[in-house]
């Protein structure tokens, strides 16, 4: 459920479709396929397991050609990675569909269709859509009407594109998953991401929630959820066709910091619909695992360990499940005691981190309930060897210091928390509230990025420093740790993070006017305790830099510099949003230091050795 490309053209569309799939290849895939209507109005299809290049090789041996077609790349949720589960799916050789998302009521629809004589050749929820559209097409005689009737029956999330052998148009629809229309000269396209159509197509229409579009070679028509024709804005894309280019940014790290709103939005897409989390995003057996889970054990390294630490606070607070977090290299050094029905969770940006992979190998030999990977690399060893998977969608992260991979991990772990809490008595109203807070994250990240000029000016005060201390309480202690890690990674300033309550147990001895103290202080239940800790620093002559809620009651004064964050952030929002200015601080200090920001000394992007 990853990539969709489709087109209605005056030329052979197959090369365009394959190029589109390649432009989405950074997400990784387990299967791919293409279907076209050829010159004799026959619907022809080719599918392969594996990467897009395998499909391309198969096309060289079994060429397809046509002026209208669909292509898809899949990451498995329902059904194992295989040719028969790959998209496009056909119904009686008359129509083809491609689908991103999760259909929650597919089993009910499947049983109805089987009673009506439809035979299924795959294990997917998506094939149900193909047969359901065909069922209505036979009775209504119009493809658009058939798709409209079908989507009204679907529960879940979908980005959908449909073609028929006897109709020169693509019908596209969206609910909870992105769909974009690409407008060309005498040809028009459908895709799940503008990257699939760049650089050839520069004008796009983004469908809104509930929209259905009819895409012809010479025109497009968009209907809203009520069936009324609407005009959606046509936007000229300024996006780069190559995700591995810095574009207008000086460094990859800065580019990736600014990509976080979109990355988090994409991580949430297809996993949330109608105020509910779609558990199948973790895998087809996820619901049974979450039902049985009585404890969680998280293992990770570096930045991913910090994400796991945040998750532990949320899981224990919202799910009332015991949750332990451990550094992978340490987990390997002991014989862990596993309590019954414990879910083992690994977190990794690359999915190839040696210590995390070794920890997973050890865990698979123990009596854990199941293994779950939170990862940004679909084809990595960590994903292949885990029973459940939640893929983040950060996209390529070139800078060694992790930024958008971290915030997307936090979003994925928040979804895991909701899934587990549902089994522990979470009320539907509370789930909808939590989901709403998650959906708000991209907008809040945009607001946090607006602090860039303020943070850039703040960085001037750090240029001559050799040490820094970061403070936080509760889940925000992990964000302080992440801020300290970023500063030391790329500016080479020695930085440490402490739980603010630990100040008096040693670190306070280091505080003086030459050691800046950075604190994160959202307006939560621990705020008053944080204020007391800040007073301890100020009493010793320490210079404070506080990222705080405007209503926190913490004001700038002599030796106290307050940077106001967005108001009223919840416990699932604050760790994600407060991360951004700390990333920017590290970046701008490193600029002043003149270090190699994207490739800091002695470090590698993927740590594949012990």
């Amino acid at each position: 459920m990853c990539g969709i490309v489709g087109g209605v053209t005056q030329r052979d569309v197959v090369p365009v479709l394959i190029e589109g799939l390649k432009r989405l290849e950074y997400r990784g895939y387990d299967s791919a396929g293409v279907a076209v209507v050829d010159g004799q109005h026959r619907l022809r299809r080719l599918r392969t397991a594996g990467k897009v290049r395998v499909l391309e090789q198969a096309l060289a041996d079994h060429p397809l050609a046509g002026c209208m077609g669909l292509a898809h790349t899949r990451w498995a949720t329902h059904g194992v990675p295989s040719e028969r589960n790959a998209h496009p799916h056909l119904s009686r050789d008359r129509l083809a569909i491609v689908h991103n998302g999760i259909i929650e009521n597919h089993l009910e629809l499947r049983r109805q269709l089987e009673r009506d004589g439809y035979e299924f050749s795959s294990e997917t929820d998506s094939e149900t859509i193909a047969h359901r559209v065909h069922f209505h097409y036979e009775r209504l005689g119009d493809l658009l009407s058939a798709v409209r009737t079908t989507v009204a029956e679907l529960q879940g999330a979908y980005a959908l594109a449909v073609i028929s052998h006897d109709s020169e148009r693509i019908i596209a629809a969206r609910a909870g998953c992105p769909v974009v229309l690409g407008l060309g000269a005498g040809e028009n396209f459908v895709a799940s991401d503008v990257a699939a159509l760049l650089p050839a197509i520069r004008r796009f229409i983004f469908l809104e929630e509930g929209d259905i579009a009819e895409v012809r070679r010479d025109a497009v028509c968009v209907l809203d959820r009520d069936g009324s024709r609407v005009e959606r804005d046509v936007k000229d894309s300024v996006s780069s066709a190559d995700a591995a280019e810095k574009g207008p940014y000086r460094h990859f790290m800065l580019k990736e910091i600014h990509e976080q709103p979109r990355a988090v939005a994409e991580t949430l897409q297809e996993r949330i619909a109608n105020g509910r989390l779609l558990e199948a995003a973790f895998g087809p057996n996820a619901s049974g695992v979450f039902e049985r889970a009585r404890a969680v054990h998280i293992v990770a390294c570096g930045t991913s360990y910090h994400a796991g630490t945040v998750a532990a606070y949320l899981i224990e607070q919202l799910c009332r499940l015991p949750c332990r977090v451990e550094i992978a290299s340490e987990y390997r050094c002991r014989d862990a005691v596993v309590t019954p029905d414990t879910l083992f969770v690994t977190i990794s940006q690359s999915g190839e981190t040696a210590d995390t992979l070794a920890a997973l190998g050890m865990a698979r030999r123990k009596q854990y309930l199941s293994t779950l990977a939170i990862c940004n690399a679909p084809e990595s060893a960590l994903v292949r060897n885990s029973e459940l998977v939640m893929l983040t969608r950060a996209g390529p992260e070139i800078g060694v210091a992790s930024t958008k991979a971290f915030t997307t991990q936090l979003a994925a772990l928040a979804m895991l928390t909701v899934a587990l809490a549902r089994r522990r008595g979470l009320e539907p109203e509370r789930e909808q509230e939590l989901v709403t807070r998650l959906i708000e994250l991209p907008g809040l990240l945009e607001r946090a990025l607006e602090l860039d000029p303020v943070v850039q000016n703040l960085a001037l005060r750090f240029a001559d420093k050799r040490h820094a201390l970061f403070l936080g309480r509760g889940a925000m202690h992990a964000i302080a740790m992440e801020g300290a890690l970023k500063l030391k990674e790329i500016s080479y300033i020695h930085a440490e993070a402490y739980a603010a309550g630990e100040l008096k147990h040693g670190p306070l001895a280091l505080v003086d006017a030459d050691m800046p103290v950075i604190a994160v202080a959202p307006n939560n239940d621990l705020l008053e305790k944080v204020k007391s800790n800040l007073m301890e620093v100020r009493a010793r002559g320490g210079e404070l830099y506080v990222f705080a809620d405007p209503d926190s009651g913490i004001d700038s004064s002599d030796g106290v510099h307050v940077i106001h964050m967005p108001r009223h952030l919840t416990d699932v929002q604050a760790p994600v949003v407060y991360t951004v200015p700390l990333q920017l601080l590290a970046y701008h200090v490193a600029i002043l230091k003149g270090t190699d920001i994207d490739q800091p000394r002695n470090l590698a992007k993927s740590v594949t050795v012990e």
Side-chain angles (χ1 to χ4, degrees):
M1 56 176 219
C2 279
I4 287 175
V5 191
V8 188
T9 68
Q10 302 180 66
R11 52 179 166 151
D12 182 12
V13 76
V14 174
V16 182
L17 300 181
I18 297 302
E19 181 63 26
L21 295 187
K22 289 180 179 178
R23 292 192 178 279
L24 298 176
E25 183 110 47
Y26 70 87
R27 294 186 179 186
Y29 304 104
D30 59 40
S31 58
V34 61
V36 298
V37 177
D38 68 13
Q40 285 73 49
H41 297 285
R42 297 174 301 181
L43 189 58
R44 301 181 62 200
R45 175 183 64 176
L46 185 63
R47 301 178 297 174
T48 59
K51 296 182 180 181
V52 176
R53 67 168 179 265
V54 179
L55 175 63
E56 190 173 27
Q57 292 165 357
L59 284 167
D61 297 330
H62 306 282
L64 296 183
C67 295
M68 180 173 72
L70 301 173
H72 187 273
T73 53
R74 176 177 184 258
W75 187 255
T77 55
H78 296 75
V80 299
S82 66
E83 180 180 333
R84 67 189 178 92
N85 286 330
H87 297 225
H89 289 288
L90 304 187
S91 184
R92 297 181 177 175
D93 293 325
R94 186 176 179 186
L95 59 81
I97 70 103
V98 290
H99 165 235
N100 288 350
I102 297 168
I103 305 304
E104 293 186 299
N105 62 333
H106 73 99
L107 290 177
E108 174 188 341
L109 295 173
R110 184 179 184 125
R111 287 192 290 268
Q112 293 175 9
L113 288 161
E114 288 173 336
R115 288 195 294 268
D116 290 324
Y118 285 88
E119 295 181 0
F120 285 75
S121 60
S122 79
E123 305 164 273
T124 68
D125 56 340
S126 304
E127 189 182 1
T128 304
I129 304 173
H131 294 317
R132 201 65 188 166
V133 173
H134 182 274
F135 175 84
H136 291 302
Y137 193 18
E138 289 279 282
R139 286 150 182 77
L140 299 173
D142 176 68
L143 188 60
L144 176 60
S145 299
V147 173
R148 287 192 62 206
T149 305
T150 299
V151 298
E153 300 171 335
L154 303 180
Q155 298 172 14
Y158 54 82
L160 179 65
V162 184
I163 59 174
S164 173
H165 75 101
D166 57 359
S167 179
E168 296 182 354
R169 55 183 174 163
I170 299 174
I171 307 300
R174 70 152 292 182
C177 303
V179 175
V180 60
L181 310 182
L183 308 181
E187 57 185 13
N188 291 303
F189 299 90
V190 174
S192 54
D193 191 305
V194 296
L197 302 175
L198 293 171
I201 301 299
R202 308 299 302 187
R203 299 174 66 239
F204 296 94
I205 294 174
F206 294 86
L207 296 189
E208 296 185 8
E209 189 72 2
D211 282 355
I212 296 179
E214 181 182 63
V215 180
R216 298 180 181 271
R217 190 174 66 192
D218 55 355
V220 299
C221 173
V222 180
L223 307 179
D224 64 16
R225 65 171 68 250
D226 298 321
S228 301
R229 183 166 182 166
V230 290
E231 297 293 330
R232 300 299 185 205
D233 293 340
V234 177
K235 299 185 181 297
D236 294 322
S237 175
V238 296
S239 299
S240 169
D242 190 346
E245 294 291 337
K246 291 193 285 284
Y249 298 99
R250 186 173 174 182
H251 295 92
F252 281 112
M253 182 180 177
L254 185 60
K255 172 179 180 280
E256 289 154 10
I257 290 172
H258 281 267
E259 287 175 341
Q260 288 177 115
R262 178 181 175 183
V264 169
E266 291 194 353
T267 296
L268 297 172
Q269 283 169 351
E270 302 179 11
R271 283 83 183 260
I272 288 173
N274 301 317
R276 295 185 69 251
L277 174 74
L278 307 182
E279 288 181 354
F282 293 89
N285 301 319
S287 294
V289 170
F290 296 155
E291 183 71 39
R292 293 177 55 195
R294 294 295 176 267
V296 180
H297 192 172
I298 300 174
V299 172
C301 299
T303 285
S304 297
Y305 169 74
H306 299 157
T309 303
V310 172
Y313 281 95
L314 293 177
I315 289 170
E316 295 203 338
Q317 175 186 341
L318 295 174
C319 309
R320 308 308 301 161
L321 288 174
C323 183
R324 179 169 57 181
V325 188
E326 203 160 356
I327 297 170
S329 57
E330 291 297 310
Y331 175 82
R332 298 178 60 187
C333 297
R334 65 186 191 85
D335 187 9
V337 176
V338 182
T339 57
D341 294 323
T342 296
L343 174 62
F344 187 82
V345 180
T346 55
I347 312 170
S348 172
Q349 183 275 136
S350 69
E352 303 292 347
T353 305
D355 284 322
T356 307
L357 284 173
L360 175 61
M362 292 177 60
R364 292 177 67 188
R365 296 189 292 271
K366 293 180 176 290
Q367 298 301 311
Y368 285 98
L369 171 63
S370 186
T371 57
L372 165 65
I374 307 288
C375 187
N376 191 44
E379 295 174 338
S380 63
L382 191 72
V383 168
R384 293 196 306 271
N385 289 289
S386 297
E387 295 165 10
L388 302 178
V389 176
M390 169 57 83
L391 292 173
T392 60
R393 292 173 178 153
E397 191 176 67
I398 309 301
V400 167
S402 181
T403 52
K404 60 180 180 173
F406 176 66
T407 48
T408 54
Q409 286 171 354
L410 291 177
L413 289 161
M415 287 189 280
L416 172 62
T417 302
V418 173
L420 293 170
R422 183 186 289 169
R423 295 303 193 283
R424 308 292 290 179
L426 184 69
E427 296 292 336
E429 296 79 9
R430 177 62 171 147
E431 178 177 347
Q432 185 167 14
E433 178 188 348
L434 290 169
V435 166
T436 300
R437 300 290 85 81
L438 290 175
I439 292 171
E440 292 171 350
L441 277 174
L444 291 168
L445 288 169
E446 293 281 7
R447 290 171 57 192
L449 286 167
E450 293 172 1
L451 293 170
D452 193 15
V454 176
V455 176
Q456 186 173 0
N457 185 59
L458 189 68
L460 296 171
R461 297 175 175 269
F462 288 74
D464 62 343
K465 304 301 182 186
R466 299 182 61 190
H467 307 278
L469 182 65
F470 286 71
L471 302 176
R473 296 196 78 136
M476 301 306 290
H477 174 218
I479 301 308
M481 290 194 293
E482 178 62 14
L485 177 60
K486 288 293 157 285
L487 189 65
K488 74 177 72 171
E489 278 183 311
I490 62 169
S491 75
Y492 311 150
I493 292 176
H494 171 244
E496 296 298 333
Y498 273 85
E502 281 291 289
L503 265 176
K504 60 180 69 68
H505 297 287
L508 206 55
L510 298 173
V511 172
D512 60 23
D514 292 325
M515 185 174 185
V517 178
I518 301 97
V520 284
N523 194 356
N524 59 22
D525 293 342
L526 298 173
L527 176 61
E528 293 305 317
K529 293 184 180 297
V530 172
K531 287 182 180 179
S532 297
N533 302 137
L534 299 183
M535 291 176 63
E536 293 171 350
V537 172
R538 199 65 203 107
R540 274 74 177 179
E543 197 85 359
L544 279 168
Y545 302 87
V546 187
F547 295 88
D549 188 293
D551 298 327
S552 65
I554 304 173
D555 299 315
S556 294
S557 60
D558 182 35
V560 180
H561 313 274
V562 179
I563 301 89
H564 286 147
M565 299 293 293
R567 278 185 167 83
H568 308 311
L569 298 179
T570 65
D571 290 341
V572 298
Q573 294 172 331
V576 184
V577 179
Y578 274 72
T579 295
V580 172
L582 300 185
Q583 294 170 344
L584 291 170
L585 177 63
Y587 175 80
H588 289 301
V589 172
I591 288 286
L592 296 172
K593 291 279 192 179
T595 61
D596 189 339
I597 290 173
D598 287 332
Q599 296 180 322
R601 68 190 182 200
N602 305 331
L603 299 178
K605 185 62 181 171
S606 180
V607 184
T608 56
V609 295
E610 297 181 15

